[in-house]
Amino acid sequence: MDKFKIRVARIEMISSNERGEDIRLTFHFEGHQTSFALPIFLNSREFDDTEIVKVARSKLHEVFQQLCSQCEHWQLTDGERRELARINVRPATLVTQSQVPSLNSK
């Protein structure tokens, strides 16, 4: 699997939420087939400007650790993958020429 490019997309002050967090730092992730953004919320009274990115990275790491822990049992072994491919129960379907959309139709 290729590495993701991870960058800080934006840092912004927001209205304080129920936890008193008033900074939203958004990370952008870009991989070969996947890209997404993930906001991390922080309290500006707890950290100064020079610490915000470092603290947000740490909080991001905690988020991914939790996600990894929650879905660890989803991982299939190579044998399980082969077995699932072997028992593929989708019926084979024949597509007739009349079912194929024309590139010229509007």
Side-chain angles (χ1 to χ4, degrees), residues 14-23 41-45 59:
I14 58 171
S15 297
S16 187
N17 64 20
E18 65 277 358
R19 293 178 303 277
E21 298 161 327
D22 57 355
I23 294 178
F41 298 93
L42 301 168
N43 187 326
S44 66
R45 290 173 294 287
K59 194 169 180 182

Side-chain angles (χ1 to χ4, degrees), residues 71-85:
C71 61
E72 189 172 10
H73 65 281
W74 296 359
Q75 182 68 41
L76 297 175
T77 65
D78 288 341
E80 289 170 326
R81 285 176 196 249
R82 282 191 297 276
E83 180 64 16
L84 288 172

Side-chain angles (χ1 to χ4, degrees), residues 11 18 31 89 92:
I11 301 172
E18 65 277 358
V89 293

Side-chain angles (χ1 to χ4, degrees), residues 57-70:
R57 285 178 178 159
S58 177
K59 194 169 180 182
L60 178 68
H61 183 266
E62 292 170 11
V63 167
F64 280 114
Q65 275 188 317
Q66 180 65 32
L67 285 171
C68 186
S69 173
Q70 282 181 237

